[in-house]
Amino acid sequence: MTPAARPVRRYPLVAFFVLAYALTWWVYPLLSISPLIGLLGLFGPALAAILVTAATDGRAGVRALLRRAVHWRVPLPWWLLALGLPALLSLVAAVLYVVVRPGSALPLGRLTALDLVLVVLVVGEELGWRGYALPSLLERFSPLVASLILGLLWGLWHVPTFFIPGTPQHGQPVVAFLLLTVAYSILLTFLWRPTAGSVLVATLAHGMINVSQGFFLAGVDPSVRYWLLVISYGAAAVVLALLLQARTPRPVKVPAM
């Protein structure tokens, strides 16, 4: 074992988050040049997960991690939930916007090719967050507590973009965003556990969170949009949190491919 690997093996989860932040945050100052550069940062969590897993569990561990990214044998209802639940909650937020702004029409937008590409590319995040971090947290905490911790750390991973001029998040309410990522985390854990830890299902749900918000809340000021989403996703997260607590925890095992 090399000296550099010893702290990783001793504190693998801490090492993962440190690496996930470090491998992404170097990109953020370049976002003022072009937001597209941020696509590089999407793979920071995945690379961190692979590096830590290689240091702690070797090639066999890395193969097991990557299997989660291609685990598609999931009952159809969970695919439909991953696709439909984020869209429904974004639609609820759009309806709330119309309610608080009488006379406004539903602020619908349109999907672009980049939106569809991002649905796929968020696997770079999900291999880290739900592929590595969530299973590790569940070894120590309940599903709800693990979701809360991961949601907060996931949100903090994005925070530098709120202070970089030229980025879509610049100057927007950080607190609302952190509340959102915690709510997202609960939703994704709810979908992840019955699907044997499928990163594909988590990726679809994560992608739909992004796409549906861009479609149903196009043109809404982000400072308003974030809080509307906090209401809709927050209400759903409370219900899902109760369901997570009520269900008997079971070890998540990915079937052999």
Side-chain angles (χ1 to χ4, degrees), residues 196-233:
S198 172
V199 172
L200 276 182
V201 171
T203 296
L204 177 61
H206 185 164
M208 283 304 299
I209 286 170
N210 296 339
V211 167
S212 62
Q213 290 176 17
F215 179 76
F216 287 112
L217 294 162
V220 177
D221 187 289
S223 62
V224 175
R225 181 173 69 216
Y226 284 164
W227 286 112
L228 291 171
L229 290 166
V230 166
I231 295 172
S232 64
Y233 274 91

PDB file of all heavy atoms in Angstrom, residues 196-233:
ATOM      1  N   ALA A 196     -32.401  -2.115  -6.485  1.00  0.00           N
ATOM      2  CA  ALA A 196     -31.098  -2.755  -6.267  1.00  0.00           C
ATOM      3  C   ALA A 196     -29.954  -1.804  -6.566  1.00  0.00           C
ATOM      4  O   ALA A 196     -28.930  -2.177  -7.125  1.00  0.00           O
ATOM      5  CB  ALA A 196     -30.964  -4.022  -7.097  1.00  0.00           C
ATOM      6  N   GLY A 197     -30.150  -0.540  -6.183  1.00  0.00           N
ATOM      7  CA  GLY A 197     -29.071   0.433  -6.329  1.00  0.00           C
ATOM      8  C   GLY A 197     -28.760   0.801  -7.765  1.00  0.00           C
ATOM      9  O   GLY A 197     -27.605   1.116  -8.087  1.00  0.00           O
ATOM     10  N   SER A 198     -29.766   0.827  -8.629  1.00  0.00           N
ATOM     11  CA  SER A 198     -29.532   1.129 -10.042  1.00  0.00           C
ATOM     12  C   SER A 198     -29.151   2.594 -10.236  1.00  0.00           C
ATOM     13  O   SER A 198     -29.956   3.499  -9.980  1.00  0.00           O
ATOM     14  CB  SER A 198     -30.776   0.816 -10.870  1.00  0.00           C
ATOM     15  OG  SER A 198     -30.615   1.266 -12.199  1.00  0.00           O
ATOM     16  N   VAL A 199     -27.941   2.825 -10.697  1.00  0.00           N
ATOM     17  CA  VAL A 199     -27.509   4.180 -11.026  1.00  0.00           C
ATOM     18  C   VAL A 199     -28.242   4.683 -12.273  1.00  0.00           C
ATOM     19  O   VAL A 199     -28.464   5.885 -12.428  1.00  0.00           O
ATOM     20  CB  VAL A 199     -25.981   4.223 -11.229  1.00  0.00           C
ATOM     21  CG1 VAL A 199     -25.518   5.567 -11.767  1.00  0.00           C
ATOM     22  CG2 VAL A 199     -25.273   3.918  -9.910  1.00  0.00           C
ATOM     23  N   LEU A 200     -28.657   3.769 -13.155  1.00  0.00           N
ATOM     24  CA  LEU A 200     -29.403   4.168 -14.346  1.00  0.00           C
ATOM     25  C   LEU A 200     -30.737   4.813 -13.967  1.00  0.00           C
ATOM     26  O   LEU A 200     -31.125   5.830 -14.534  1.00  0.00           O
ATOM     27  CB  LEU A 200     -29.654   2.955 -15.244  1.00  0.00           C
ATOM     28  CG  LEU A 200     -28.540   2.559 -16.208  1.00  0.00           C
ATOM     29  CD1 LEU A 200     -28.982   1.363 -17.040  1.00  0.00           C
ATOM     30  CD2 LEU A 200     -28.164   3.716 -17.121  1.00  0.00           C
ATOM     31  N   VAL A 201     -31.444   4.217 -13.023  1.00  0.00           N
ATOM     32  CA  VAL A 201     -32.716   4.783 -12.584  1.00  0.00           C
ATOM     33  C   VAL A 201     -32.487   6.147 -11.935  1.00  0.00           C
ATOM     34  O   VAL A 201     -33.218   7.109 -12.205  1.00  0.00           O
ATOM     35  CB  VAL A 201     -33.435   3.823 -11.610  1.00  0.00           C
ATOM     36  CG1 VAL A 201     -34.643   4.506 -10.969  1.00  0.00           C
ATOM     37  CG2 VAL A 201     -33.869   2.560 -12.341  1.00  0.00           C
ATOM     38  N   ALA A 202     -31.465   6.240 -11.088  1.00  0.00           N
ATOM     39  CA  ALA A 202     -31.148   7.520 -10.454  1.00  0.00           C
ATOM     40  C   ALA A 202     -30.766   8.566 -11.494  1.00  0.00           C
ATOM     41  O   ALA A 202     -31.136   9.745 -11.377  1.00  0.00           O
ATOM     42  CB  ALA A 202     -30.008   7.340  -9.449  1.00  0.00           C
ATOM     43  N   THR A 203     -30.042   8.153 -12.532  1.00  0.00           N
ATOM     44  CA  THR A 203     -29.642   9.081 -13.591  1.00  0.00           C
ATOM     45  C   THR A 203     -30.856   9.602 -14.345  1.00  0.00           C
ATOM     46  O   THR A 203     -30.950  10.797 -14.638  1.00  0.00           O
ATOM     47  CB  THR A 203     -28.674   8.382 -14.573  1.00  0.00           C
ATOM     48  OG1 THR A 203     -27.484   8.032 -13.875  1.00  0.00           O
ATOM     49  CG2 THR A 203     -28.328   9.288 -15.743  1.00  0.00           C
ATOM     50  N   LEU A 204     -31.784   8.713 -14.669  1.00  0.00           N
ATOM     51  CA  LEU A 204     -32.996   9.145 -15.362  1.00  0.00           C
ATOM     52  C   LEU A 204     -33.785  10.140 -14.517  1.00  0.00           C
ATOM     53  O   LEU A 204     -34.236  11.181 -15.015  1.00  0.00           O
ATOM     54  CB  LEU A 204     -33.875   7.934 -15.691  1.00  0.00           C
ATOM     55  CG  LEU A 204     -35.218   8.258 -16.345  1.00  0.00           C
ATOM     56  CD1 LEU A 204     -35.020   8.955 -17.679  1.00  0.00           C
ATOM     57  CD2 LEU A 204     -36.052   6.988 -16.526  1.00  0.00           C
ATOM     58  N   ALA A 205     -33.952   9.827 -13.230  1.00  0.00           N
ATOM     59  CA  ALA A 205     -34.698  10.733 -12.348  1.00  0.00           C
ATOM     60  C   ALA A 205     -33.986  12.068 -12.207  1.00  0.00           C
ATOM     61  O   ALA A 205     -34.624  13.132 -12.270  1.00  0.00           O
ATOM     62  CB  ALA A 205     -34.888  10.080 -10.981  1.00  0.00           C
ATOM     63  N   HIS A 206     -32.668  12.049 -12.021  1.00  0.00           N
ATOM     64  CA  HIS A 206     -31.874  13.273 -11.909  1.00  0.00           C
ATOM     65  C   HIS A 206     -31.993  14.085 -13.193  1.00  0.00           C
ATOM     66  O   HIS A 206     -32.200  15.304 -13.162  1.00  0.00           O
ATOM     67  CB  HIS A 206     -30.419  12.896 -11.629  1.00  0.00           C
ATOM     68  CG  HIS A 206     -29.524  14.059 -11.366  1.00  0.00           C
ATOM     69  ND1 HIS A 206     -28.280  13.924 -10.776  1.00  0.00           N
ATOM     70  CD2 HIS A 206     -29.644  15.386 -11.620  1.00  0.00           C
ATOM     71  CE1 HIS A 206     -27.702  15.098 -10.674  1.00  0.00           C
ATOM     72  NE2 HIS A 206     -28.510  16.002 -11.204  1.00  0.00           N
ATOM     73  N   GLY A 207     -31.868  13.420 -14.325  1.00  0.00           N
ATOM     74  CA  GLY A 207     -31.991  14.121 -15.593  1.00  0.00           C
ATOM     75  C   GLY A 207     -33.362  14.738 -15.775  1.00  0.00           C
ATOM     76  O   GLY A 207     -33.497  15.866 -16.262  1.00  0.00           O
ATOM     77  N   MET A 208     -34.400  14.020 -15.371  1.00  0.00           N
ATOM     78  CA  MET A 208     -35.762  14.543 -15.502  1.00  0.00           C
ATOM     79  C   MET A 208     -36.015  15.704 -14.554  1.00  0.00           C
ATOM     80  O   MET A 208     -36.802  16.600 -14.865  1.00  0.00           O
ATOM     81  CB  MET A 208     -36.774  13.428 -15.260  1.00  0.00           C
ATOM     82  CG  MET A 208     -36.938  12.481 -16.429  1.00  0.00           C
ATOM     83  SD  MET A 208     -37.378  13.345 -17.968  1.00  0.00           S
ATOM     84  CE  MET A 208     -38.937  14.103 -17.492  1.00  0.00           C
ATOM     85  N   ILE A 209     -35.360  15.712 -13.400  1.00  0.00           N
ATOM     86  CA  ILE A 209     -35.458  16.865 -12.509  1.00  0.00           C
ATOM     87  C   ILE A 209     -34.994  18.113 -13.248  1.00  0.00           C
ATOM     88  O   ILE A 209     -35.663  19.159 -13.246  1.00  0.00           O
ATOM     89  CB  ILE A 209     -34.612  16.637 -11.235  1.00  0.00           C
ATOM     90  CG1 ILE A 209     -35.296  15.635 -10.308  1.00  0.00           C
ATOM     91  CG2 ILE A 209     -34.376  17.958 -10.496  1.00  0.00           C
ATOM     92  CD1 ILE A 209     -34.433  15.178  -9.147  1.00  0.00           C
ATOM     93  N   ASN A 210     -33.843  18.013 -13.907  1.00  0.00           N
ATOM     94  CA  ASN A 210     -33.295  19.161 -14.622  1.00  0.00           C
ATOM     95  C   ASN A 210     -34.145  19.546 -15.830  1.00  0.00           C
ATOM     96  O   ASN A 210     -34.474  20.723 -16.029  1.00  0.00           O
ATOM     97  CB  ASN A 210     -31.867  18.845 -15.091  1.00  0.00           C
ATOM     98  CG  ASN A 210     -30.911  18.628 -13.937  1.00  0.00           C
ATOM     99  OD1 ASN A 210     -31.150  19.056 -12.818  1.00  0.00           O
ATOM    100  ND2 ASN A 210     -29.821  17.931 -14.202  1.00  0.00           N
ATOM    101  N   VAL A 211     -34.497  18.559 -16.650  1.00  0.00           N
ATOM    102  CA  VAL A 211     -35.220  18.832 -17.895  1.00  0.00           C
ATOM    103  C   VAL A 211     -36.616  19.380 -17.621  1.00  0.00           C
ATOM    104  O   VAL A 211     -37.059  20.344 -18.259  1.00  0.00           O
ATOM    105  CB  VAL A 211     -35.306  17.548 -18.756  1.00  0.00           C
ATOM    106  CG1 VAL A 211     -36.309  17.712 -19.884  1.00  0.00           C
ATOM    107  CG2 VAL A 211     -33.939  17.217 -19.323  1.00  0.00           C
ATOM    108  N   SER A 212     -37.333  18.764 -16.678  1.00  0.00           N
ATOM    109  CA  SER A 212     -38.715  19.182 -16.433  1.00  0.00           C
ATOM    110  C   SER A 212     -38.789  20.591 -15.860  1.00  0.00           C
ATOM    111  O   SER A 212     -39.721  21.341 -16.166  1.00  0.00           O
ATOM    112  CB  SER A 212     -39.412  18.183 -15.501  1.00  0.00           C
ATOM    113  OG  SER A 212     -38.775  18.121 -14.238  1.00  0.00           O
ATOM    114  N   GLN A 213     -37.802  20.966 -15.061  1.00  0.00           N
ATOM    115  CA  GLN A 213     -37.806  22.338 -14.541  1.00  0.00           C
ATOM    116  C   GLN A 213     -37.579  23.345 -15.662  1.00  0.00           C
ATOM    117  O   GLN A 213     -38.213  24.402 -15.702  1.00  0.00           O
ATOM    118  CB  GLN A 213     -36.735  22.478 -13.463  1.00  0.00           C
ATOM    119  CG  GLN A 213     -37.063  21.720 -12.199  1.00  0.00           C
ATOM    120  CD  GLN A 213     -35.969  21.784 -11.164  1.00  0.00           C
ATOM    121  OE1 GLN A 213     -35.081  22.631 -11.235  1.00  0.00           O
ATOM    122  NE2 GLN A 213     -36.012  20.888 -10.201  1.00  0.00           N
ATOM    123  N   GLY A 214     -36.658  23.013 -16.578  1.00  0.00           N
ATOM    124  CA  GLY A 214     -36.421  23.894 -17.711  1.00  0.00           C
ATOM    125  C   GLY A 214     -37.622  24.006 -18.620  1.00  0.00           C
ATOM    126  O   GLY A 214     -37.844  25.040 -19.249  1.00  0.00           O
ATOM    127  N   PHE A 215     -38.429  22.931 -18.690  1.00  0.00           N
ATOM    128  CA  PHE A 215     -39.596  22.944 -19.573  1.00  0.00           C
ATOM    129  C   PHE A 215     -40.795  23.638 -18.922  1.00  0.00           C
ATOM    130  O   PHE A 215     -41.415  24.509 -19.521  1.00  0.00           O
ATOM    131  CB  PHE A 215     -39.975  21.512 -19.948  1.00  0.00           C
ATOM    132  CG  PHE A 215     -41.196  21.430 -20.834  1.00  0.00           C
ATOM    133  CD1 PHE A 215     -41.110  21.754 -22.174  1.00  0.00           C
ATOM    134  CD2 PHE A 215     -42.424  21.039 -20.318  1.00  0.00           C
ATOM    135  CE1 PHE A 215     -42.235  21.692 -22.999  1.00  0.00           C
ATOM    136  CE2 PHE A 215     -43.545  20.976 -21.130  1.00  0.00           C
ATOM    137  CZ  PHE A 215     -43.450  21.300 -22.472  1.00  0.00           C
ATOM    138  N   PHE A 216     -41.113  23.265 -17.688  1.00  0.00           N
ATOM    139  CA  PHE A 216     -42.323  23.792 -17.054  1.00  0.00           C
ATOM    140  C   PHE A 216     -42.139  25.174 -16.434  1.00  0.00           C
ATOM    141  O   PHE A 216     -43.137  25.860 -16.172  1.00  0.00           O
ATOM    142  CB  PHE A 216     -42.816  22.817 -15.972  1.00  0.00           C
ATOM    143  CG  PHE A 216     -43.442  21.574 -16.522  1.00  0.00           C
ATOM    144  CD1 PHE A 216     -42.829  20.346 -16.366  1.00  0.00           C
ATOM    145  CD2 PHE A 216     -44.641  21.620 -17.201  1.00  0.00           C
ATOM    146  CE1 PHE A 216     -43.392  19.183 -16.867  1.00  0.00           C
ATOM    147  CE2 PHE A 216     -45.229  20.470 -17.717  1.00  0.00           C
ATOM    148  CZ  PHE A 216     -44.599  19.246 -17.548  1.00  0.00           C
ATOM    149  N   LEU A 217     -40.903  25.565 -16.167  1.00  0.00           N
ATOM    150  CA  LEU A 217     -40.678  26.857 -15.490  1.00  0.00           C
ATOM    151  C   LEU A 217     -39.755  27.753 -16.303  1.00  0.00           C
ATOM    152  O   LEU A 217     -39.025  28.568 -15.749  1.00  0.00           O
ATOM    153  CB  LEU A 217     -40.092  26.598 -14.099  1.00  0.00           C
ATOM    154  CG  LEU A 217     -41.042  25.891 -13.135  1.00  0.00           C
ATOM    155  CD1 LEU A 217     -40.275  25.284 -11.976  1.00  0.00           C
ATOM    156  CD2 LEU A 217     -42.103  26.845 -12.617  1.00  0.00           C
ATOM    157  N   ALA A 218     -39.796  27.626 -17.604  1.00  0.00           N
ATOM    158  CA  ALA A 218     -38.968  28.465 -18.469  1.00  0.00           C
ATOM    159  C   ALA A 218     -39.337  29.935 -18.289  1.00  0.00           C
ATOM    160  O   ALA A 218     -40.510  30.302 -18.237  1.00  0.00           O
ATOM    161  CB  ALA A 218     -39.175  28.059 -19.929  1.00  0.00           C
ATOM    162  N   GLY A 219     -38.346  30.765 -18.174  1.00  0.00           N
ATOM    163  CA  GLY A 219     -38.588  32.209 -18.072  1.00  0.00           C
ATOM    164  C   GLY A 219     -38.907  32.700 -16.676  1.00  0.00           C
ATOM    165  O   GLY A 219     -38.955  33.911 -16.444  1.00  0.00           O
ATOM    166  N   VAL A 220     -39.131  31.797 -15.723  1.00  0.00           N
ATOM    167  CA  VAL A 220     -39.396  32.229 -14.345  1.00  0.00           C
ATOM    168  C   VAL A 220     -38.070  32.584 -13.683  1.00  0.00           C
ATOM    169  O   VAL A 220     -37.095  31.829 -13.776  1.00  0.00           O
ATOM    170  CB  VAL A 220     -40.105  31.116 -13.547  1.00  0.00           C
ATOM    171  CG1 VAL A 220     -40.313  31.548 -12.092  1.00  0.00           C
ATOM    172  CG2 VAL A 220     -41.425  30.760 -14.200  1.00  0.00           C
ATOM    173  N   ASP A 221     -38.028  33.728 -13.037  1.00  0.00           N
ATOM    174  CA  ASP A 221     -36.801  34.144 -12.361  1.00  0.00           C
ATOM    175  C   ASP A 221     -36.362  33.045 -11.395  1.00  0.00           C
ATOM    176  O   ASP A 221     -37.160  32.565 -10.588  1.00  0.00           O
ATOM    177  CB  ASP A 221     -37.057  35.442 -11.587  1.00  0.00           C
ATOM    178  CG  ASP A 221     -35.785  36.017 -11.003  1.00  0.00           C
ATOM    179  OD1 ASP A 221     -35.261  35.422 -10.045  1.00  0.00           O
ATOM    180  OD2 ASP A 221     -35.314  37.052 -11.497  1.00  0.00           O
ATOM    181  N   PRO A 222     -35.078  32.639 -11.471  1.00  0.00           N
ATOM    182  CA  PRO A 222     -34.617  31.551 -10.590  1.00  0.00           C
ATOM    183  C   PRO A 222     -34.857  31.809  -9.115  1.00  0.00           C
ATOM    184  O   PRO A 222     -35.085  30.865  -8.352  1.00  0.00           O
ATOM    185  CB  PRO A 222     -33.123  31.465 -10.906  1.00  0.00           C
ATOM    186  CG  PRO A 222     -33.000  31.973 -12.299  1.00  0.00           C
ATOM    187  CD  PRO A 222     -34.038  33.057 -12.421  1.00  0.00           C
ATOM    188  N   SER A 223     -34.800  33.080  -8.696  1.00  0.00           N
ATOM    189  CA  SER A 223     -35.017  33.372  -7.280  1.00  0.00           C
ATOM    190  C   SER A 223     -36.433  33.018  -6.855  1.00  0.00           C
ATOM    191  O   SER A 223     -36.690  32.701  -5.689  1.00  0.00           O
ATOM    192  CB  SER A 223     -34.741  34.847  -6.989  1.00  0.00           C
ATOM    193  OG  SER A 223     -35.624  35.683  -7.719  1.00  0.00           O
ATOM    194  N   VAL A 224     -37.374  33.064  -7.800  1.00  0.00           N
ATOM    195  CA  VAL A 224     -38.755  32.641  -7.540  1.00  0.00           C
ATOM    196  C   VAL A 224     -38.893  31.142  -7.784  1.00  0.00           C
ATOM    197  O   VAL A 224     -39.518  30.420  -7.004  1.00  0.00           O
ATOM    198  CB  VAL A 224     -39.739  33.428  -8.443  1.00  0.00           C
ATOM    199  CG1 VAL A 224     -41.161  32.909  -8.261  1.00  0.00           C
ATOM    200  CG2 VAL A 224     -39.650  34.916  -8.157  1.00  0.00           C
ATOM    201  N   ARG A 225     -38.285  30.674  -8.873  1.00  0.00           N
ATOM    202  CA  ARG A 225     -38.407  29.269  -9.263  1.00  0.00           C
ATOM    203  C   ARG A 225     -37.911  28.343  -8.167  1.00  0.00           C
ATOM    204  O   ARG A 225     -38.560  27.342  -7.847  1.00  0.00           O
ATOM    205  CB  ARG A 225     -37.621  29.020 -10.554  1.00  0.00           C
ATOM    206  CG  ARG A 225     -37.718  27.587 -11.053  1.00  0.00           C
ATOM    207  CD  ARG A 225     -37.061  27.452 -12.406  1.00  0.00           C
ATOM    208  NE  ARG A 225     -35.611  27.611 -12.305  1.00  0.00           N
ATOM    209  CZ  ARG A 225     -34.870  28.216 -13.231  1.00  0.00           C
ATOM    210  NH1 ARG A 225     -35.440  28.747 -14.297  1.00  0.00           N
ATOM    211  NH2 ARG A 225     -33.564  28.288 -13.081  1.00  0.00           N
ATOM    212  N   TYR A 226     -36.749  28.653  -7.582  1.00  0.00           N
ATOM    213  CA  TYR A 226     -36.196  27.778  -6.557  1.00  0.00           C
ATOM    214  C   TYR A 226     -37.159  27.606  -5.391  1.00  0.00           C
ATOM    215  O   TYR A 226     -37.342  26.498  -4.884  1.00  0.00           O
ATOM    216  CB  TYR A 226     -34.864  28.322  -6.048  1.00  0.00           C
ATOM    217  CG  TYR A 226     -33.689  28.110  -6.994  1.00  0.00           C
ATOM    218  CD1 TYR A 226     -32.504  28.822  -6.822  1.00  0.00           C
ATOM    219  CD2 TYR A 226     -33.752  27.204  -8.037  1.00  0.00           C
ATOM    220  CE1 TYR A 226     -31.420  28.643  -7.677  1.00  0.00           C
ATOM    221  CE2 TYR A 226     -32.688  27.014  -8.889  1.00  0.00           C
ATOM    222  CZ  TYR A 226     -31.529  27.735  -8.705  1.00  0.00           C
ATOM    223  OH  TYR A 226     -30.461  27.545  -9.551  1.00  0.00           O
ATOM    224  N   TRP A 227     -37.780  28.706  -4.948  1.00  0.00           N
ATOM    225  CA  TRP A 227     -38.668  28.602  -3.796  1.00  0.00           C
ATOM    226  C   TRP A 227     -39.960  27.867  -4.137  1.00  0.00           C
ATOM    227  O   TRP A 227     -40.505  27.130  -3.304  1.00  0.00           O
ATOM    228  CB  TRP A 227     -38.960  29.984  -3.226  1.00  0.00           C
ATOM    229  CG  TRP A 227     -37.791  30.553  -2.489  1.00  0.00           C
ATOM    230  CD1 TRP A 227     -37.029  31.613  -2.846  1.00  0.00           C
ATOM    231  CD2 TRP A 227     -37.223  30.054  -1.264  1.00  0.00           C
ATOM    232  NE1 TRP A 227     -36.019  31.817  -1.937  1.00  0.00           N
ATOM    233  CE2 TRP A 227     -36.109  30.887  -0.956  1.00  0.00           C
ATOM    234  CE3 TRP A 227     -37.527  28.998  -0.408  1.00  0.00           C
ATOM    235  CZ2 TRP A 227     -35.323  30.683   0.181  1.00  0.00           C
ATOM    236  CZ3 TRP A 227     -36.751  28.786   0.715  1.00  0.00           C
ATOM    237  CH2 TRP A 227     -35.662  29.630   1.008  1.00  0.00           C
ATOM    238  N   LEU A 228     -40.461  28.033  -5.364  1.00  0.00           N
ATOM    239  CA  LEU A 228     -41.633  27.266  -5.781  1.00  0.00           C
ATOM    240  C   LEU A 228     -41.317  25.772  -5.795  1.00  0.00           C
ATOM    241  O   LEU A 228     -42.131  24.944  -5.368  1.00  0.00           O
ATOM    242  CB  LEU A 228     -42.078  27.711  -7.178  1.00  0.00           C
ATOM    243  CG  LEU A 228     -42.680  29.108  -7.291  1.00  0.00           C
ATOM    244  CD1 LEU A 228     -42.873  29.478  -8.764  1.00  0.00           C
ATOM    245  CD2 LEU A 228     -44.004  29.201  -6.545  1.00  0.00           C
ATOM    246  N   LEU A 229     -40.130  25.428  -6.265  1.00  0.00           N
ATOM    247  CA  LEU A 229     -39.712  24.028  -6.291  1.00  0.00           C
ATOM    248  C   LEU A 229     -39.488  23.483  -4.888  1.00  0.00           C
ATOM    249  O   LEU A 229     -39.743  22.306  -4.621  1.00  0.00           O
ATOM    250  CB  LEU A 229     -38.440  23.878  -7.125  1.00  0.00           C
ATOM    251  CG  LEU A 229     -38.617  24.083  -8.630  1.00  0.00           C
ATOM    252  CD1 LEU A 229     -37.268  24.247  -9.316  1.00  0.00           C
ATOM    253  CD2 LEU A 229     -39.386  22.916  -9.243  1.00  0.00           C
ATOM    254  N   VAL A 230     -39.002  24.336  -3.981  1.00  0.00           N
ATOM    255  CA  VAL A 230     -38.849  23.909  -2.585  1.00  0.00           C
ATOM    256  C   VAL A 230     -40.200  23.486  -2.021  1.00  0.00           C
ATOM    257  O   VAL A 230     -40.301  22.486  -1.294  1.00  0.00           O
ATOM    258  CB  VAL A 230     -38.237  25.045  -1.737  1.00  0.00           C
ATOM    259  CG1 VAL A 230     -38.394  24.748  -0.248  1.00  0.00           C
ATOM    260  CG2 VAL A 230     -36.753  25.224  -2.066  1.00  0.00           C
ATOM    261  N   ILE A 231     -41.252  24.218  -2.375  1.00  0.00           N
ATOM    262  CA  ILE A 231     -42.584  23.870  -1.873  1.00  0.00           C
ATOM    263  C   ILE A 231     -43.038  22.528  -2.441  1.00  0.00           C
ATOM    264  O   ILE A 231     -43.478  21.634  -1.692  1.00  0.00           O
ATOM    265  CB  ILE A 231     -43.604  24.979  -2.231  1.00  0.00           C
ATOM    266  CG1 ILE A 231     -43.247  26.282  -1.506  1.00  0.00           C
ATOM    267  CG2 ILE A 231     -45.022  24.538  -1.874  1.00  0.00           C
ATOM    268  CD1 ILE A 231     -44.077  27.474  -1.942  1.00  0.00           C
ATOM    269  N   SER A 232     -42.950  22.370  -3.763  1.00  0.00           N
ATOM    270  CA  SER A 232     -43.466  21.138  -4.378  1.00  0.00           C
ATOM    271  C   SER A 232     -42.602  19.928  -4.027  1.00  0.00           C
ATOM    272  O   SER A 232     -43.119  18.884  -3.581  1.00  0.00           O
ATOM    273  CB  SER A 232     -43.567  21.291  -5.898  1.00  0.00           C
ATOM    274  OG  SER A 232     -42.290  21.479  -6.484  1.00  0.00           O
ATOM    275  N   TYR A 233     -41.292  20.044  -4.180  1.00  0.00           N
ATOM    276  CA  TYR A 233     -40.416  18.916  -3.860  1.00  0.00           C
ATOM    277  C   TYR A 233     -40.337  18.693  -2.351  1.00  0.00           C
ATOM    278  O   TYR A 233     -40.187  17.553  -1.907  1.00  0.00           O
ATOM    279  CB  TYR A 233     -39.021  19.153  -4.429  1.00  0.00           C
ATOM    280  CG  TYR A 233     -38.862  18.710  -5.851  1.00  0.00           C
ATOM    281  CD1 TYR A 233     -39.109  19.582  -6.900  1.00  0.00           C
ATOM    282  CD2 TYR A 233     -38.477  17.410  -6.171  1.00  0.00           C
ATOM    283  CE1 TYR A 233     -38.978  19.180  -8.223  1.00  0.00           C
ATOM    284  CE2 TYR A 233     -38.334  16.998  -7.484  1.00  0.00           C
ATOM    285  CZ  TYR A 233     -38.585  17.886  -8.507  1.00  0.00           C
ATOM    286  OH  TYR A 233     -38.461  17.484  -9.812  1.00  0.00           O
TER     287      TYR A 233
END
